Amino acid sequence: MQTRQKRKSWLKPLIVPAITLPCLVYFTQQSQSGRYGVEAGAQMAAELTRKTQMYNRLVANRKGLEQRVRLLSDGTLERDMIDERARRALNMSNDDEITILMPKGYAAE
């Protein structure tokens, strides 16, 4: 009876590293500059800072507007004062009224 012996190939140990190396290169590159990589994370952090500042400005503006609305409620001002302020804010007047335009720096006494 005769046995056959195979010679060991020098390529066989290189198969796993040949497949693994391109995968490692791909994932390394994606972790640096991919959609969710380090560079994108820095851009997202900068955008988050801008959006947070915008949000804080809007919240402060809203609080100011809410305060002005509270001051204009029925209990603190008379109806004609509310009407006058609304007309001034909307830049409107009735047909039978005379409108006198004042310069911006003019302070009515």
Side-chain angles (χ1 to χ4, degrees):
M1 186 155 181
Q2 193 175 13
T3 60
R4 288 186 165 182
Q5 293 182 351
K6 292 185 178 180
R7 281 193 300 172
K8 291 185 178 181
S9 173
W10 61 274
L11 291 174
K12 198 170 188 177
L14 298 177
I15 292 174
V16 172
I19 293 171
T20 307
L21 186 63
C23 290
L24 287 174
V25 169
Y26 172 77
F27 286 118
T28 302
Q29 189 268 340
Q30 288 298 315
S31 71
Q32 285 296 316
S33 62
R35 184 174 180 188
Y36 298 107
V38 174
E39 296 169 7
Q43 291 174 352
M44 286 185 203
E47 184 176 351
L48 178 64
T49 303
R50 282 194 312 271
K51 299 285 182 175
T52 303
Q53 290 172 351
M54 183 189 303
Y55 173 75
N56 290 337
R57 281 194 308 264
L58 289 173
V59 166
N61 188 17
R62 180 186 172 110
K63 286 182 181 179
L65 290 174
E66 287 176 353
Q67 178 67 23
R68 287 180 66 192
V69 167
R70 264 189 254 117
L71 291 175
L72 291 174
S73 65
D74 275 343
T76 57
L77 290 177
E78 297 178 15
R79 289 194 187 270
D80 59 336
M81 290 295 291
I82 294 173
D83 185 48
E84 180 184 335
R85 290 214 176 204
R87 288 177 192 215
R88 187 180 305 152
L90 297 174
N91 199 18
M92 298 178 70
S93 64
N94 288 332
D95 293 334
D96 61 343
E97 293 178 340
I98 298 174
T99 304
I100 301 173
L101 300 175
M102 303 285 190
K104 275 191 173 185
Y106 182 76
E109 293 179 21

